[in-house]
Amino acid sequence: MTAPAAKLDCAPYARGLFIGGQWQSGRGIPVVNPSDESILAEVPDATVSEALAAVEAAARAAEGWRSTPPRQRAEILRRCHELMTARAEELATLISLENGKALPDARGEVAYAAEFFRWNSEEAVRIGGEYRTAPAGTNRILVEHQPIGIAVLITPWNFPAAMATRKIAPALAAGCTVILKPASETPLTAYALAGIYAEAGVPAGVVNVITTTQPGPVTAAMLADPRVRKLSFTGSTPVGRVLLAEAAKTVASCSMELGGNAPFIVFDDADLEAALDGAMVAKMRNAGEACTAANRFIVQAGIHDAFVAGLVRRMGAIKLGPGTDAATGCGPMITRKSVEKIDGLVADAVARGARVQLGGVRPAGKGFYYPPTVLTGVSPQSEMRRAEIFGPVAPVYRFDTEDQAVAMANDTEHGLAAYVYTRDLKRGLAVSGRIEAGMVGLNRGLVSDPAAPFGGVKQSGLGREGGMHGILEYLEAKYIATSF
Ligand code: NAD
């Protein structure tokens, strides 16, 4: 493997917990570079009392922020977008170092993450209401949208910037104050962004950031405070279930962005090259570590072999290496545990009869690498049919009829993203309508867009982030009945 091309000293980003606009130094959580297993920095391990101090800081800042005029809030959000954009290369390098993703993916993430600030700066001044005459004619119905209150935000490691800004930007636009708990694997980006928010003029206590190795007790303690009225979580479905139960104790409002098991359906009449272009984005963006990643390629019999040959050719051309190396197309996985999980899923599929068309063998040496891999003949009983692979492994399944494709696509507890490739728009729209998913890419391998509602059905989640829906998760309707 070649030496990393982009370099950055990570120590300045590990200034401490960010509470009430102050940095509280501490140590306890080493941040590992997944490319070579070196330690990049060490961030504090917050206790329950430090988490409660963050809630206190958010409570102190709440009244001032909710009464800040929307235009002023919008200008501050806009500055967050500008500062993130100005520092895009620094942030992309930081993401690439702590997460491992290839630099082009990291640059794409920074642009996507910053856009949530621009989009929500535009939403902040358009929070609407209603004014109607009651059907009986006896009174008027007034409805206004008020900030829901303090929000606890919990994010995963796979998009350290975007998963945070997708929550923080609408929360701030709505007038809420927040406590962000990022994943311990990738805390540096969250702290780097906290510095940017302060520089952009976000007042002390409006955004607080804490890292901890005890997310269970720390989150439970924050949710037990009756002033916390919102939990927005992005992560796995099992942890989402635990947090829903925890939030039930105080009936806190929940937004849940959970796991996926995306089908990628290719019909015989699809444009093969376009389908392969889309497949590479849907599978290989972030080295497969995305909730929207194509997890099951479901390909019609007539195009199956040509699709597999094209996929093997394209996936085989991707260079595996450190994310910061300019030539890298596929970086390492986040942890050794992740690589071992992927390796186990491939071994299970092979033991049940799958054929390895590409990859399938872990490289020796330092770093958490798994190579781009293509499997055919994967048995429906294989674990990877139901599990999120979360890596650069593409299992291809074969189908004959449209009904079969839809049944296979829907045979999962998840319902986040799905992809459909066909030249027949009528069929494409019909199949998109029948698939149980919150988002469908029709002849497109990328669905994420800050201007569109992102989210899942079934056990992939509750609520939407982005678009005009995102800000509503942080607002509550207040109805006033009046006789005049
Ligand atoms: P995870 O559920 O293990 O962790 C997510 C976050 O929850 C982390 O910050 C973690 O520290 C925290 N956490 C873990 N246990 C907790 C507990 N008991 N109480 C409170 N917090 C707890 O998920 P992950 O491995 O970091 O991320 C990968 C998962 O996230 C995948 O399932 C992926 O599909 C999902 N994801 C979903 C979306 C989406 O928008 N739907 C986006 C990105 C990732």
Side-chain angles (χ1 to χ4, degrees):
M1 309 243 170
T2 49
K7 288 195 164 53
L8 189 69
D9 176 13
C10 291
Y13 303 101
R15 290 167 69 186
L17 305 171
F18 188 63
I19 299 176
Q22 304 292 318
W23 295 98
Q24 300 188 5
S25 63
R27 294 167 75 82
I29 308 179
V31 186
V32 177
N33 180 342
S35 296
D36 60 11
E37 303 179 44
S38 63
I39 305 292
L40 293 166
E42 201 172 323
V43 296
D45 188 359
T47 59
V48 163
S49 67
E50 285 166 323
L52 293 178
V55 174
E56 196 56 47
R60 276 198 306 273
E63 189 46 46
W65 186 244
R66 70 187 281 151
S67 55
T68 299
R71 174 65 71 204
Q72 214 173 312
R73 292 205 298 261
E75 294 296 334
I76 292 172
L77 295 184
R78 182 77 181 200
R79 279 201 292 281
C80 290
H81 170 264
E82 285 164 5
L83 287 175
M84 280 186 74
T85 307
R87 302 211 191 128
E89 202 55 26
E90 170 196 341
L91 290 168
T93 305
L94 186 59
I95 291 172
S96 185
L97 280 168
E98 69 173 350
N99 168 280
K101 69 176 73 179
L103 264 179
D105 283 338
R107 290 185 185 116
E109 180 184 347
V110 175
Y112 176 57
E115 192 57 31
F116 284 102
F117 281 110
R118 181 156 61 175
W119 175 264
N120 282 289
S121 73
E122 292 154 353
E123 291 298 281
V125 291
R126 313 214 193 291
I127 298 170
E130 295 169 42
Y131 177 74
R132 289 186 283 128
T133 301
T138 49
N139 61 288
R140 304 293 159 93
I141 295 170
L142 272 70
V143 180
E144 61 174 324
H145 289 106
Q146 297 188 325
I148 196 165
I150 297 173
V152 168
L153 316 174
I154 302 179
T155 51
W157 48 262
N158 64 339
F159 289 92
M163 296 303 96
T165 62
R166 204 163 75 175
K167 299 184 190 305
I168 292 171
L172 267 52
C176 296
T177 58
V178 307
I179 302 105
L180 171 72
K181 195 219 75 65
S184 296
E185 294 85 350
T186 56
L188 299 174
T189 305
Y191 285 129
L193 290 175
I196 285 179
Y197 307 147
E199 196 178 330
V202 173
V206 171
V207 177
N208 305 277
V209 183
I210 57 164
T211 37
T212 180
T213 54
Q214 305 170 62
V218 157
T219 308
M222 290 194 287
L223 289 175
D225 187 314
R227 294 171 297 182
V228 171
R229 297 314 307 144
K230 179 81 198 179
L231 169 65
S232 179
F233 172 75
T234 298
S236 61
T237 298
V239 174
R241 288 191 195 105
V242 170
L243 289 175
L244 280 167
E246 199 63 52
K249 293 178 185 165
T250 52
V251 196
S253 162
C254 290
S255 300
M256 293 273 147
E257 297 285 351
L258 308 177
N261 183 359
F264 189 107
I265 300 174
V266 185
F267 284 98
D268 281 347
D269 71 346
D271 176 333
L272 178 62
E273 291 307 313
L276 288 167
D277 288 345
M280 293 306 290
V281 177
K283 181 74 258 181
M284 292 306 296
R285 189 169 68 109
N286 245 20
E289 292 180 312
C291 52
T292 50
N295 208 53
R296 295 169 294 150
F297 287 93
I298 299 173
V299 185
Q300 205 163 14
I303 201 172
H304 177 275
D305 292 355
F307 182 82
V308 169
L311 199 58
V312 166
R313 199 171 52 246
R314 291 187 184 219
M315 300 246 312
I318 294 176
K319 190 170 179 305
L320 193 64
T324 46
D325 185 330
T328 294
C330 179
M333 302 293 96
I334 189 71
T335 54
R336 182 172 304 287
K337 200 170 148 211
S338 283
V339 187
E340 284 166 359
K341 187 198 95 178
I342 296 163
D343 208 25
L345 289 175
V346 171
D348 169 76
V350 169
R352 295 175 198 267
R355 287 177 295 285
V356 179
Q357 304 290 350
L358 177 75
V361 180
R362 278 166 71 182
K366 286 269 186 196
F368 309 133
Y369 294 97
Y370 200 88
T373 295
V374 178
L375 303 176
T376 54
V378 181
S379 155
Q381 274 68 49
S382 299
E383 285 172 40
M384 71 167 61
R385 178 88 173 237
R386 315 224 169 272
E388 258 188 307
I389 300 169
F390 240 60
V393 177
V396 186
Y397 305 87
R398 190 190 287 261
F399 75 91
D400 292 307
T401 68
E402 186 176 312
D403 283 349
Q404 262 177 6
V406 171
M408 286 166 79
N410 289 341
D411 182 22
T412 166
E413 67 183 20
H414 291 111
L416 192 61
Y419 306 89
V420 180
Y421 274 79
T422 172
R423 279 196 174 96
D424 180 346
L425 187 59
K426 192 171 166 207
R427 171 159 71 183
L429 289 171
V431 171
S432 299
R434 291 173 70 196
I435 290 179
E436 295 161 356
M439 301 172 284
V440 181
L442 178 52
N443 295 319
R444 256 186 84 75
L446 182 69
V447 292
S448 306
D449 185 332
F454 188 107
V457 300
K458 293 159 74 176
Q459 295 193 38
S460 284
L462 300 168
R464 294 292 179 270
E465 291 187 322
M468 285 168 287
H469 302 66
I471 195 169
L472 294 175
E473 305 281 323
Y474 298 93
L475 292 166
E476 265 186 330
K478 160 77 65 71
Y479 153 54
I480 302 167
T482 177
S483 297
F484 67 84

Coordinates of all heavy atoms in Angstrom, one line a residue, residues 154-158 163 166 181-183 215-216 219 233-237 239 242-243 257-260 291 388 390 416 454 460, ligand 1:
I154 N -28.2 11.6 18.2 CA -27.2 10.5 18.3 C -26.9 10.1 16.9 O -27.8 9.8 16.1 CB -27.7 9.4 19.1 CG1 -28.0 9.9 20.5 CG2 -26.7 8.2 19.2 CD1 -28.6 8.8 21.5
T155 N -25.6 10.1 16.5 CA -25.2 9.8 15.1 C -24.2 8.7 15.0 O -23.5 8.4 15.9 CB -24.7 11.1 14.5 OG1 -23.6 11.6 15.3 CG2 -25.7 12.1 14.3
P156 N -24.2 8.0 13.8 CA -23.3 6.9 13.6 C -21.9 7.4 13.0 O -21.8 8.6 12.7 CB -24.0 6.1 12.6 CG -24.8 7.1 11.7 CD -25.1 8.2 12.7
W157 N -21.0 6.5 12.7 CA -19.7 6.8 12.3 C -19.6 6.9 10.8 O -18.6 7.3 10.2 CB -18.7 5.7 12.8 CG -19.2 4.3 12.6 CD1 -19.8 3.5 13.5 CD2 -19.2 3.6 11.3 NE1 -20.2 2.4 12.9 CE2 -19.8 2.3 11.6 CE3 -18.6 3.8 10.1 CZ2 -19.9 1.4 10.6 CZ3 -18.8 2.9 9.1 CH2 -19.4 1.6 9.4
N158 N -20.6 6.4 10.0 CA -20.4 6.2 8.6 C -20.4 7.5 7.8 O -19.8 7.6 6.7 CB -21.3 5.1 8.0 CG -22.7 5.5 8.1 OD1 -23.2 6.3 8.9 ND2 -23.6 4.8 7.2
M163 N -24.5 13.1 9.0 CA -25.5 12.7 9.9 C -25.7 13.7 11.0 O -26.9 13.7 11.5 CB -25.2 11.3 10.4 CG -25.1 10.2 9.4 SD -26.6 10.0 8.4 CE -26.2 11.0 6.9
R166 N -27.5 17.0 9.3 CA -28.8 16.7 8.8 C -29.8 16.8 10.0 O -31.0 17.0 9.8 CB -28.9 15.2 8.3 CG -30.0 15.0 7.3 CD -29.7 13.7 6.5 NE -29.9 12.5 7.2 CZ -29.9 11.3 6.7 NH1 -29.6 11.2 5.4 NH2 -30.1 10.2 7.4
K181 N -24.4 13.6 20.4 CA -23.5 12.5 20.8 C -23.1 11.8 19.6 O -23.8 10.9 19.1 CB -24.1 11.6 21.8 CG -23.1 10.7 22.5 CD -23.4 9.3 22.8 CE -23.4 8.4 21.6 NZ -22.1 8.1 20.9
P182 N -21.9 12.1 19.0 CA -21.5 11.4 17.8 C -20.9 10.0 18.2 O -20.7 9.7 19.4 CB -20.4 12.3 17.3 CG -19.8 13.0 18.5 CD -20.9 13.1 19.5
A183 N -20.7 9.2 17.2 CA -20.1 7.9 17.4 C -18.7 8.0 17.9 O -17.9 8.9 17.5 CB -20.1 7.1 16.1
P215 N -22.9 5.0 26.0 CA -24.0 5.7 25.4 C -25.3 5.4 26.0 O -26.2 6.2 26.1 CB -23.9 5.3 23.9 CG -23.2 4.0 23.9 CD -22.2 4.1 25.0
G216 N -25.5 4.1 26.5 CA -26.7 3.7 27.1 C -27.1 4.6 28.3 O -28.1 5.3 28.3
T219 N -27.4 8.4 27.6 CA -28.6 8.8 26.8 C -29.8 8.7 27.7 O -30.7 9.6 27.7 CB -28.8 7.9 25.6 OG1 -27.5 8.0 24.8 CG2 -29.9 8.4 24.7
F233 N -32.3 9.9 16.3 CA -31.2 8.9 16.3 C -31.0 8.4 14.9 O -31.9 8.1 14.1 CB -31.7 7.7 17.2 CG -30.8 6.5 17.1 CD1 -29.5 6.5 17.7 CD2 -31.2 5.4 16.4 CE1 -28.7 5.4 17.6 CE2 -30.3 4.3 16.3 CZ -29.1 4.3 16.9
T234 N -29.7 8.3 14.5 CA -29.4 7.6 13.2 C -28.4 6.5 13.6 O -27.4 6.7 14.3 CB -28.7 8.5 12.2 OG1 -29.7 9.5 11.9 CG2 -28.3 7.7 11.0
G235 N -28.8 5.3 13.3 CA -27.9 4.1 13.6 C -28.6 2.8 13.3 O -29.5 2.8 12.5
S236 N -28.2 1.8 14.0 CA -28.8 0.5 13.7 C -30.2 0.3 14.2 O -30.6 0.9 15.2 CB -27.8 -0.6 14.3 OG -27.8 -0.5 15.7
T237 N -30.9 -0.6 13.6 CA -32.3 -0.9 14.1 C -32.3 -1.5 15.5 O -33.1 -1.0 16.3 CB -33.0 -1.9 13.1 OG1 -33.0 -1.2 11.8 CG2 -34.4 -2.2 13.5
V239 N -30.3 -0.8 18.1 CA -30.2 0.3 19.1 C -31.4 1.2 19.0 O -31.8 1.7 20.0 CB -28.8 1.0 18.8 CG1 -28.7 2.2 19.7 CG2 -27.6 0.1 19.1
V242 N -34.1 0.0 21.3 CA -33.8 0.2 22.7 C -34.1 1.7 23.0 O -34.7 2.0 24.1 CB -32.3 -0.1 23.0 CG1 -31.8 0.4 24.3 CG2 -32.0 -1.6 22.8
L243 N -33.7 2.6 22.1 CA -33.9 4.0 22.4 C -35.4 4.4 22.3 O -35.8 5.3 23.1 CB -33.1 4.8 21.4 CG -31.6 4.8 21.7 CD1 -30.8 5.5 20.7 CD2 -31.2 5.3 23.1
E257 N -33.6 7.1 12.1 CA -33.1 6.7 10.8 C -32.3 5.5 11.0 O -31.2 5.5 11.6 CB -32.2 7.9 10.3 CG -33.0 9.2 10.0 CD -33.8 9.1 8.8 OE1 -33.7 8.2 8.0 OE2 -34.6 10.1 8.6
L258 N -32.8 4.3 10.7 CA -32.3 3.1 11.1 C -31.7 2.3 9.9 O -31.4 2.9 8.8 CB -33.3 2.3 11.8 CG -34.0 3.0 13.0 CD1 -35.1 2.2 13.6 CD2 -33.0 3.5 14.0
G259 N -31.5 1.0 10.1 CA -30.8 0.2 9.1 C -31.5 0.0 7.8 O -32.7 0.2 7.7
G260 N -30.8 -0.5 6.8 CA -31.4 -0.7 5.5 C -31.0 -2.1 4.9 O -30.2 -2.8 5.5
C291 N -26.2 3.3 4.8 CA -27.5 2.7 5.1 C -28.3 2.5 3.8 O -29.2 1.6 3.7 CB -28.3 3.5 6.0 SG -28.4 5.2 5.5
E388 N -27.5 -6.5 7.0 CA -26.8 -5.4 6.3 C -25.3 -5.7 6.2 O -24.6 -5.9 7.2 CB -26.9 -4.1 7.2 CG -27.9 -3.1 6.9 CD -27.8 -1.8 7.7 OE1 -27.7 -1.9 8.9 OE2 -27.7 -0.8 7.1
F390 N -22.9 -3.9 4.8 CA -22.1 -2.7 5.2 C -20.6 -2.8 4.8 O -19.7 -2.6 5.6 CB -22.2 -2.4 6.7 CG -22.8 -1.1 7.1 CD1 -24.1 -0.8 6.6 CD2 -22.1 -0.1 7.8 CE1 -24.6 0.5 6.9 CE2 -22.6 1.1 8.0 CZ -23.9 1.4 7.6
L416 N -35.7 1.1 3.7 CA -35.1 2.4 3.5 C -35.0 2.8 2.1 O -35.9 3.4 1.5 CB -33.7 2.4 4.2 CG -33.1 3.8 4.4 CD1 -33.9 4.7 5.3 CD2 -31.7 3.6 5.1
F454 N -35.6 12.3 3.4 CA -34.8 11.0 3.5 C -35.4 10.3 4.7 O -35.6 10.8 5.8 CB -33.4 11.4 3.8 CG -32.4 10.2 3.8 CD1 -31.5 10.0 2.8 CD2 -32.4 9.3 4.9 CE1 -30.7 9.0 2.8 CE2 -31.6 8.2 4.9 CZ -30.7 8.1 3.8
S460 N -37.0 0.4 9.2 CA -35.9 1.3 8.9 C -36.1 2.7 9.5 O -35.2 3.6 9.3 CB -35.8 1.4 7.3 OG -35.2 0.3 6.8
Ligands
NAD1 P1 -25.1 1.9 16.1 O1 -26.5 1.7 16.3 O2 -24.2 0.9 16.7 O3 -24.6 3.3 16.7 C1 -25.1 4.5 16.3 C2 -25.0 5.5 17.5 O4 -25.7 5.0 18.6 C3 -23.5 5.7 17.9 O5 -23.3 7.0 18.3 C4 -23.5 4.8 19.2 O6 -22.5 5.2 20.1 C5 -24.9 5.0 19.7 N1 -25.3 4.0 20.6 C6 -25.0 2.6 20.6 N2 -25.7 2.0 21.6 C7 -26.4 3.0 22.2 C8 -27.3 2.9 23.3 N3 -27.6 1.8 24.0 N4 -27.9 4.1 23.7 C9 -27.7 5.2 23.1 N5 -26.8 5.3 22.0 C10 -26.2 4.2 21.6 O7 -24.8 2.1 14.6 P2 -23.4 2.3 13.8 O8 -22.7 1.0 13.7 O9 -22.7 3.4 14.3 O10 -24.0 2.7 12.3 C11 -24.3 1.9 11.4 C12 -25.9 1.7 11.4 O11 -26.5 3.0 11.1 C13 -26.3 0.9 10.2 O12 -27.4 0.0 10.6 C14 -26.9 1.9 9.2 O13 -27.8 1.4 8.3 C15 -27.4 2.9 10.1 N6 -27.5 4.2 9.4 C16 -28.8 4.6 9.1 C17 -28.9 5.8 8.4 C18 -30.3 6.3 8.0 O14 -30.4 7.5 7.6 N7 -31.3 5.5 8.0 C19 -27.8 6.6 8.0 C20 -26.5 6.1 8.4 C21 -26.4 4.9 9.1

